[in-house]
Amino acid sequence: MSSEINGQVSPQPCPHLLDFRSRNGFKPFRAFQDLIRVKRPGGLPAIRREISEVPRCCTCEESSRSRLYACVACAAVFCYAPPLHSHASAHALSNPGHEIAIDVDRAELFCCTCRDQVYDRDFDAAVVFAQTVTITATTSTSGCTVMQCNIAGFQPENLRKRRRVDNRPCSPDSREHVIIGNHLFSLHDATNASLISSTEIPWGLRGLNNLGNTCFMNSVLQALLHTPPLRSYFLRDRHHRYYCQQKNGAINGTKSSRLCLACDMEAMFSAVFSGDRTPYSPAKFLYSWWQHSANLASYEQQDAHEFFISMLDGIHEKVAKEKRKSQSPGSGDCCSAHRVFSGILRSDVMCIVCGFTSTTYDPCVDISLDLEPNQGVSGKSSSAKSHNSCNVEADCMGSNQNSGISTLKGCLERFTRAEKLGSDQKFFCQKCEVRQESLKQMSIRKLPLVSCFHIKRFEHSSIQKMSRKVDRYLQFPFSLDMAPYLSSSILRSRFGNRILPFDGDEQDASNELSSEFELFAIVTHTGRLDAGHYVTYLRLSNQWYKCDDAWITRVNESIVLAAQGYMMFYVQKVLSL
């Protein structure tokens, strides 16, 4: 059940948590204060344990599951890995009173019966206190006094007052005065460890609060909020939010329909570029995205690239439904997202025997690239909606996958290099009228305004039945010329200056847009496959900034070049600002 307060739907508290509090007193989580630890200032809290201690599920004895939870009633550890199984939920069902557990790696409350995160003010106070003690012990000379405070006598309900008033007995120093003057906007200069004045902050640079494992969303949203064509579209009121809601009956409540992601994007652009420097919480956008991608609606960590694709599909689906006709993303005029990111790939499959060539065109919003070298396996894939997949699965997942250095230009060259398809992938030659071995070559028929390159760092092996992350370093340029990878350039290198009947329109297509691109955003991933973190680097006014959820830091180019790129956004040089 839920209640409505000031027009907002507020969910009822978890009944199992209320039952736990009624059975264990008014402050049942006070004993957990000394069991929570924070590795470093600003780091994530976790359950305190020895360095050599590896938590394992008491049922399956696995330590690599997506989540491990410790029961607050019996301290037993169980895994939660939907949709496969949930030993934590099974433990709660077979033992009444054992429904509430704590995330071992993140110190978050979880109801194993409701299968959702729950909030408790008393427990949250204990977590915040552990974080505050860690920060004070590191940054304050009087940290030892705070560390020696009586934890048993600490009052959780007064934590927020203690954190604001009593935690720092000294008066604010000059750096703290700057923070207060800038409305608590956490923008630091990593080059000289100084704070940046508000006059030097680029317009629209604002942190995004983490709403619970939403760094994958925040990293992509930061890149989209500062994509020049997309920013120009929404800030010029090209998408009328009120008109869109009125047309869909969302204002008067006369029509039942899913929320519009473009409307929420427009609202987010207005909020981020309003001049407010405090971190913004994209909760409404997250809820709308959950409505469009119900299979991804959870507080689990998701893939940033998958979020990017599903978000663009959600905007496109809404526009296509309103116009009551099928809109092709490759046309470039279907919706705001595809106007910016949509391109067209060309695929040529040539018969080795007679030379007959079959050409197909597929729309795409990004290009996925394998890191080179990949031991002879061609890395060609895209987010095109094509059913003719001729990729070879890379089953070799040895340690050498992480060795060596790859370059973005080398990955693009491999993507557009002709490859011989295997004997099990013969295509039907219309001239020979039999299945023949063939050569396949990919090229870019039409460039988008913004090119997004997705680096495939997550590998999955069907033979070994395992997944892993590729940590190989990737070199990428700040300026990129896409001319060598266009269909016109590849056809010219293959056939010279001869005019062929099937490529007569390639010259005009390549001249529609400029081939010179500039890097303006890069999404990076650090950590393991199942427990990583996403961060975005933005280039604004010829200066690079690191966007780590709510925290914004100014960095130099060397830090950006050393980052482990996962998604790279290049804009046409004539459009870059």
Side-chain angles (χ1 to χ4, degrees), residues 385-507:
K385 297 178 180 179
S386 172
H387 299 286
N388 299 323
S389 177
C390 299
N391 296 330
V392 179
E393 181 182 7
D395 289 325
C396 180
M397 306 178 69
S399 60
N400 55 352
Q401 292 292 323
N402 290 329
S403 61
I405 297 177
S406 299
T407 63
L408 180 61
K409 291 184 178 180
C411 294
L412 286 170
E413 290 175 0
R414 293 178 63 87
F415 180 80
T416 56
R417 185 183 305 166
E419 63 171 339
K420 183 177 180 181
L421 301 182
S423 57
D424 57 336
Q425 295 177 314
K426 294 182 179 180
F427 91 114
F428 183 81
C429 178
Q430 298 180 9
K431 189 174 181 180
C432 300
E433 297 184 349
V434 293
R435 292 190 174 274
Q436 301 282 16
E437 293 187 353
S438 59
L439 291 175
K440 180 181 179 181
Q441 187 167 27
M442 299 289 297
S443 60
I444 301 175
R445 166 69 172 83
K446 177 185 176 182
L447 288 169
L449 297 177
V450 176
S451 294
C452 174
F453 300 109
H454 162 236
I455 308 302
K456 296 196 290 185
R457 292 194 175 274
F458 304 131
E459 291 186 346
H460 308 278
S461 173
S462 59
I463 296 179
Q464 300 182 9
K465 295 182 180 181
M466 62 176 293
S467 302
R468 64 184 295 272
K469 180 187 174 186
V470 181
D471 290 320
R472 190 183 306 122
Y473 175 68
L474 175 70
Q475 291 180 347
F476 51 90
F478 289 151
S479 297
L480 180 64
D481 184 10
M482 294 293 293
Y485 319 111
L486 294 176
S487 300
S488 56
S489 302
I490 292 178
L491 291 174
R492 190 178 299 111
S493 63
R494 189 196 306 173
F495 301 105
N497 293 324
R498 292 176 294 174
I499 300 178
L500 301 178
F502 55 84
D503 69 324
D505 60 339
E506 296 301 332
Q507 187 65 29

Side-chain angles (χ1 to χ4, degrees), residues 200-433:
E200 301 178 16
I201 301 173
W203 183 45
L205 187 58
R206 187 176 181 182
L208 300 178
N209 287 322
N210 194 309
L211 305 178
N213 301 331
T214 59
C215 62
F216 71 94
M217 178 184 71
N218 292 343
S219 60
V220 174
L221 288 180
Q222 287 286 11
L224 297 181
L225 287 170
H226 297 279
T227 299
L230 208 60
R231 177 182 59 195
S232 176
Y233 176 86
F234 282 102
L235 294 184
R236 290 182 180 180
D237 201 21
R238 299 289 299 276
H239 182 86
H240 302 279
R241 190 192 339 166
Y242 181 82
Y243 173 74
C244 180
Q245 293 176 350
Q246 188 180 41
K247 181 173 59 175
N248 290 277
I251 296 179
N252 300 324
T254 58
K255 190 176 181 180
S256 177
S257 63
R258 290 191 298 179
L259 302 178
C260 177
L261 283 178
C263 290
D264 292 326
M265 282 292 295
E266 193 272 339
M268 193 183 313
F269 269 95
S270 300
V272 170
F273 287 88
S274 64
D276 189 358
R277 298 298 185 183
T278 57
Y280 176 75
S281 296
K284 187 176 180 181
F285 182 87
L286 176 63
Y287 177 76
S288 298
W289 175 66
W290 279 353
Q291 305 305 305
H292 286 276
S293 304
N295 60 318
L296 301 176
S298 69
Y299 286 101
E300 298 291 334
Q301 179 71 276
Q302 304 293 343
D303 180 67
H305 176 250
E306 188 174 7
F307 165 76
F308 173 73
I309 297 300
S310 66
M311 187 195 64
L312 296 188
D313 288 342
I315 296 177
H316 171 69
E317 176 187 351
K318 183 74 174 181
V319 175
K321 183 180 298 184
E322 290 176 358
K323 294 187 177 182
R324 298 181 182 277
K325 62 181 181 179
S326 178
Q327 295 283 347
S328 173
S331 61
D333 58 355
C334 56
C335 64
S336 57
H338 285 99
R339 288 192 191 104
V340 176
F341 294 100
S342 179
I344 299 178
L345 294 180
R346 170 173 174 151
S347 174
D348 293 325
V349 180
M350 185 181 66
C351 176
I352 296 179
V353 178
C354 67
F356 172 80
T357 301
S358 174
T359 302
T360 57
Y361 298 97
D362 295 311
C364 67
V365 294
D366 77 329
I367 298 178
S368 295
L369 303 171
D370 277 321
L371 287 169
E372 55 158 4
N374 206 13
Q375 294 189 352
V377 179
S378 177
K380 300 185 177 183
S381 69
S382 69
S383 296
K385 297 178 180 179
S386 172
H387 299 286
N388 299 323
S389 177
C390 299
N391 296 330
V392 179
E393 181 182 7
D395 289 325
C396 180
M397 306 178 69
S399 60
N400 55 352
Q401 292 292 323
N402 290 329
S403 61
I405 297 177
S406 299
T407 63
L408 180 61
K409 291 184 178 180
C411 294
L412 286 170
E413 290 175 0
R414 293 178 63 87
F415 180 80
T416 56
R417 185 183 305 166
E419 63 171 339
K420 183 177 180 181
L421 301 182
S423 57
D424 57 336
Q425 295 177 314
K426 294 182 179 180
F427 91 114
F428 183 81
C429 178
Q430 298 180 9
K431 189 174 181 180
C432 300
E433 297 184 349

Side-chain angles (χ1 to χ4, degrees), residues 150-166:
N150 186 1
I151 296 180
F154 177 71
Q155 301 296 328
E157 63 271 16
N158 296 328
L159 173 63
R160 298 186 182 276
K161 183 175 180 181
R162 291 176 60 91
R163 183 174 54 171
R164 294 176 183 174
V165 179
D166 301 331

